[in-house]
Amino acid sequence: MVRNQTAFYMGKLSYLEYTPQFHFVELFLNGQYHGTYMVGDKLKIGKNRVNVGDEGFLLEVDERAEEENGVFFRTDSLRQPINIKDPDVNYDDVNYVYIMDYVRSAEKVLFSENFKDKDNGWRKYMDIVSFVDWYLINEIVKNGDAAFYTSTYMNLKRGDKLKMGPLWDFDTSFLKSWLENRFQWIKNEFDNM
């Protein structure tokens, strides 16, 4: 919980347009304490949430998109699929084709020789402020999922640029995965002595 709280606090200090609200709650069931939980906003499009208007998109790079039966697409450079979280779309409908083409075009320009072109380079497609803030927060907290693996969110308002965010899911941050793997390696070494 401290991982999420810390990252979301940094999100509130950043220029990211939206960071989820949350509260800590203590759960008691039939008089028995069952722990402290963090309850917060669901990520979705809305005026006080991911505000991309009625025709915008909320996307998630998500390695589990296929098994969760999400509507997704792939790009040439990302290993993981991009799940269209909101709005509901169908494969090959107008909205699906629009967002897929936009993201693929942005990626193509990003990896082209003309990526620095002031008019038709990456700046035409991507909002630098959101990318920088999102990256810095995830880098500071060492979020393993932010390597475009899962829980990596982007959003797009039609007529605007692709933005990173909102922030989400910091259970593998602050070197947690690395430390767990390192401790397991050390344990295995001692077990084999």
Side-chain angles (χ1 to χ4, degrees):
M1 289 180 289
V2 172
R3 292 181 187 98
N4 282 301
Q5 178 189 23
T6 303
F8 286 174
Y9 178 76
M10 292 195 302
K12 297 285 186 193
L13 298 175
S14 75
Y15 289 105
L16 292 172
E17 292 179 355
Y18 168 71
T19 298
Q21 300 287 328
F22 67 91
H23 299 281
F24 290 111
V25 296
E26 292 184 333
L27 177 63
F28 289 86
L29 188 61
N30 297 326
Q32 284 195 319
Y33 177 70
H34 286 273
T36 302
Y37 294 84
M38 192 169 138
V39 178
D41 293 342
K42 177 181 178 181
L43 296 185
K44 65 180 185 175
I45 293 173
K47 184 179 179 184
N48 295 316
R49 298 217 180 156
V50 181
N51 192 3
V52 291
D54 295 333
E55 296 182 344
F57 299 90
L58 176 61
L59 309 171
E60 177 189 13
V61 177
D62 184 10
E63 66 94 21
R64 294 181 288 273
E66 290 182 68
E67 61 194 59
E68 293 176 357
N69 296 320
V71 177
F72 63 90
F73 61 91
R74 292 187 175 277
T75 68
D76 291 335
S77 298
L78 287 177
R79 295 177 110 186
Q80 311 305 341
I82 298 175
N83 195 352
I84 303 170
K85 299 298 277 188
D86 205 4
D88 291 333
V89 298
N90 295 309
Y91 286 104
D92 298 325
D93 72 14
V94 174
N95 285 327
Y96 177 87
V97 171
Y98 177 87
I99 191 60
M100 179 181 64
D101 286 350
Y102 190 97
V103 172
R104 286 180 175 173
S105 295
E107 180 185 80
K108 186 176 180 179
V109 167
L110 185 63
F111 290 101
S112 74
E113 290 181 17
N114 297 324
F115 77 99
K116 290 196 263 181
D117 184 276
K118 291 186 188 226
D119 296 323
N120 294 309
W122 67 268
R123 288 177 185 87
K124 177 179 177 180
Y125 297 94
M126 300 173 193
D127 175 71
I128 188 159
V129 172
S130 69
F131 273 79
V132 168
D133 280 6
W134 181 90
Y135 175 81
L136 287 174
I137 292 167
N138 280 283
E139 183 66 19
I140 289 166
V141 303
K142 300 294 185 209
N143 186 8
D145 287 341
F148 285 78
Y149 176 69
T150 191
S151 300
T152 301
Y153 283 87
M154 298 178 279
N155 64 84
L156 178 71
K157 183 176 188 175
R158 281 187 196 251
D160 206 348
K161 297 177 182 182
L162 186 65
K163 295 179 180 179
M164 290 304 297
L167 298 169
W168 192 253
D169 190 9
F170 292 88
D171 63 331
T172 64
S173 62
F174 294 99
L175 299 175
K176 179 181 178 264
S177 294
W178 182 85
L179 287 172
E180 285 175 348
N181 290 336
R182 192 70 180 151
F183 287 136
Q184 186 62 47
W185 179 84
I186 292 168
K187 180 186 178 305
N188 291 342
E189 289 296 311
F190 279 108
D191 290 346
N192 292 328
M193 290 181 137

